[in-house]
Amino acid sequence: MNLKHLTLKHYRNYAAVDASFSPSINVLIGENAQGKTNLLEAIYVLALARSHRTNNDKELIQFGSEFAKVTGLVERRTGTLPLELVISQQGKKARVNHLEQAKLSQYLGHFNVILFAPEDLTIVKGSPAGRRRFIDMEFGQMSPKYLYNLAQYKTMLKQRNAYLKQLRFHQAKDLVYLDVLTDQLAAFGAEIIVTRAALLDDMAKFAAQVHSDITTAHEQLTFKYQTQVEPDARHDDEQAYEALSESFKKYRAREIDQGTTLVGPHRDDVSFIVNERDVASFGSQGQQRTTALAVKLAEIELMHHQTGEYPVLLLDDVLSELDDMRQTHLLRAIQNKVQTFLTTPSLDGVAKEMIDQPTVFEVHQGELTPLS
Ligand code: ATP
Ligand code: MG
């Protein structure tokens, strides 16, 4: 799929933008603080109805304005689809094909993007929470059901934690109510784990392929999904539910004692293993970067595999973070396949790698001007 056209109104430092893009590579050139990341963010927001940089939507509204509006024309195999998102003090309104969507979950999934920023290069070494966020963003775009289960799980988890605190401080003592909450949490949790296990398996296959293409030595990348449910029970909702319920039973006393939920997919993690060792602990910096790049490129392939279309790729300042070999690999992998928006302070050392002529825009003080 690709983004044909974008308009912005009062979005961050853009008063107004009205631009058409190439289905191949779009380069945004500009000095610091001119609005390059803001533009990629706007595209991301159009796809996911939320920013990757902030949880506070109001920050997206241009200083001194009442609302921010992002509209786009997305070209998909099934046709061209207009999307619109308006953010105001009252909240957000989302339209698909000019029809307002009562639920945000109905808006998501029409336009898929993958963002790659320098901090993604730390995904291997970073916190488990960062890896969970990455997994949820990715899988959520591919499966509305996953998003739904995740939202339900989070709500139940909050309730259960609040109740565990009450039990801990003897403000409540009804253990049957705890069982009810636990049971619901286990049901949603099990579905999350089963989806994660399946999609991580698929993604690992793509990542291993990319990884072996980028590395010269005989290095083999595998994923290790770390979750409460043992591998043999991860592929079936019912079995995962039984296993998770069993764990909750085992941890019950400790959970009441600590006033919080100690097991479940909110504690999940994934490790990346190269030649049987965890890259986070034993990999060199180069190996960690190669792994991160392989994981990112695998995301693109997984999205294609799951939805039948390639997502749009947003590369924020990553080329300068990669050496020549990794840059070339990245650009080759996306060439003629994936519509890409990339930001860079200058074209030096970027254009020569590309087979296609990129479409170039200049970003200067909140204005976007086509240069080619
Ligand atoms: P760099 O190369 O340093 O990453 P950039 O071109 O990516 O720079 P952006 O992050 O896109 O820069 O833009 C930053 C600018 O946007 C800052 O000058 C900031 O003050 C401005 N900005 C951020 N939010 C708003 C807002 N809500 N209204 C107006 N301006 C904003
Ligand atoms: Mg930036």
Side-chain angles (χ1 to χ4, degrees):
M1 67 178 68
N2 70 81
L3 180 65
K4 276 175 83 163
H5 194 91
L6 179 76
T7 66
L8 302 181
K9 275 222 164 80
H10 313 312
Y11 186 92
R12 295 269 195 194
N13 68 334
Y14 291 96
V17 166
D18 185 288
S20 295
F21 300 113
S22 152
S24 129
I25 295 181
N26 298 277
V27 179
L28 309 172
I29 300 184
E31 294 183 356
N32 288 345
Q34 301 302 307
K36 300 184 299 296
T37 300
N38 290 346
L39 197 97
L40 294 195
E41 182 192 41
I43 297 173
Y44 187 95
V45 167
L46 185 70
L48 285 140
R50 51 157 300 171
S51 165
H52 64 289
R53 288 201 290 190
T54 173
N55 288 325
N56 181 3
D57 294 331
K58 286 171 196 114
E59 285 175 23
L60 310 179
I61 303 172
Q62 187 167 39
F63 301 144
S65 297
E66 294 293 309
F67 68 91
K69 184 163 150 183
V70 185
T71 58
L73 262 189
V74 176
E75 196 164 54
R76 308 179 33 145
R77 271 188 325 191
T78 46
T80 307
L81 191 67
L83 297 177
E84 178 185 295
L85 200 73
V86 179
I87 295 147
S88 68
Q89 299 300 330
Q90 286 77 46
K92 16 184 192 205
K93 280 203 171 113
R95 289 195 177 85
V96 178
N97 217 349
H98 310 291
L99 289 175
E100 189 167 334
Q101 306 295 304
K103 288 194 185 136
L104 229 40
S105 58
Q106 293 168 327
Y107 177 82
L108 302 175
H110 292 101
F111 176 36
N112 297 326
V113 302
I114 287 178
L115 176 97
F116 193 0
E119 53 272 24
D120 290 308
L121 287 168
T122 64
I123 184 146
V124 171
K125 230 186 143 49
S127 69
R131 281 186 289 276
R132 281 194 297 272
R133 193 163 50 240
F134 155 74
I135 286 170
D136 290 344
M137 281 306 205
E138 159 86 349
F139 297 173
Q141 288 194 69
M142 295 185 282
S143 164
K145 182 146 179 260
Y146 182 77
L147 269 187
Y148 170 80
N149 285 330
L150 213 55
Q152 296 294 319
Y153 184 85
K154 279 186 185 153
T155 309
M156 293 309 307
L157 183 63
K158 248 194 214 154
Q159 281 187 33
R160 188 171 187 272
N161 283 342
Y163 195 65
L164 283 168
K165 270 194 194 73
Q166 288 186 21
L167 290 169
R168 180 187 176 190
F169 295 113
H170 310 291
Q171 293 152 348
K173 53 182 178 205
D174 182 0
L175 292 179
V176 175
Y177 182 58
L178 179 65
D179 287 343
V180 172
L181 293 175
T182 304
D183 194 54
Q184 292 180 4
L185 197 68
F188 290 117
E191 291 203 40
I192 292 171
I193 289 171
V194 169
T195 308
R196 282 181 182 170
L199 291 177
L200 281 170
D201 270 356
D202 288 341
M203 194 163 157
K205 287 185 202 115
F206 291 120
Q209 183 56 51
V210 177
H211 190 264
S212 84
D213 289 349
I214 334 178
T215 43
T216 39
H218 286 288
E219 295 194 343
Q220 210 198 347
L221 172 66
T222 53
F223 289 11
K224 190 168 174 206
Y225 177 26
Q226 304 191 333
T227 185
Q228 191 63 33
V229 174
E230 292 303 319
D232 57 356
R234 282 178 201 168
H235 299 283
D236 174 82
D237 286 349
E238 200 57 39
Q239 284 180 21
Y241 166 79
E242 294 298 335
L244 207 49
S245 299
E246 231 8 80
S247 292
F248 280 127
K249 263 191 213 127
K250 243 193 336 215
Y251 280 83
R252 181 155 134 164
R254 229 190 292 172
E255 289 188 326
I256 294 174
D257 200 44
Q258 298 188 21
T260 192
T261 303
L262 296 171
V263 291
H266 63 291
R267 295 279 175 107
D268 280 0
D269 198 359
V270 53
S271 322
F272 304 103
I273 314 290
V274 169
N275 292 351
E276 290 164 30
R277 291 199 192 278
D278 190 332
V279 193
S281 318
F282 299 103
S284 69
Q285 213 179 18
Q287 282 175 317
Q288 290 172 356
R289 282 184 166 228
T290 303
T291 302
L293 181 61
V295 169
K296 271 301 182 182
L297 294 177
E299 258 189 282
I300 299 174
E301 294 300 332
L302 179 64
M303 194 85 88
H304 177 244
H305 179 72
Q306 289 292 319
T307 66
E309 288 193 76
Y310 279 105
V312 169
L313 182 64
L314 310 172
L315 298 177
D316 196 9
D317 263 336
V318 277
L319 287 185
S320 55
E321 298 283 325
L322 298 172
D323 61 22
D324 273 359
M325 193 263 290
R326 293 189 184 94
Q327 260 196 38
T328 306
H329 194 87
L330 169 63
L331 293 169
R332 270 207 212 117
I334 60 181
Q335 199 71 247
N336 301 325
K337 209 157 74 169
V338 183
Q339 185 190 33
T340 302
F341 292 82
L342 69 87
T343 70
T344 177
S346 93
L347 261 183
D348 297 348
V350 174
K352 71 172 191 295
E353 308 285 353
M354 292 176 189
I355 306 153
D356 278 353
Q357 280 302 308
T359 302
V360 183
F361 295 84
E362 186 189 33
V363 176
H364 184 68
Q365 295 186 355
E367 287 195 24
L368 185 70
T369 317
L371 290 184
S372 56

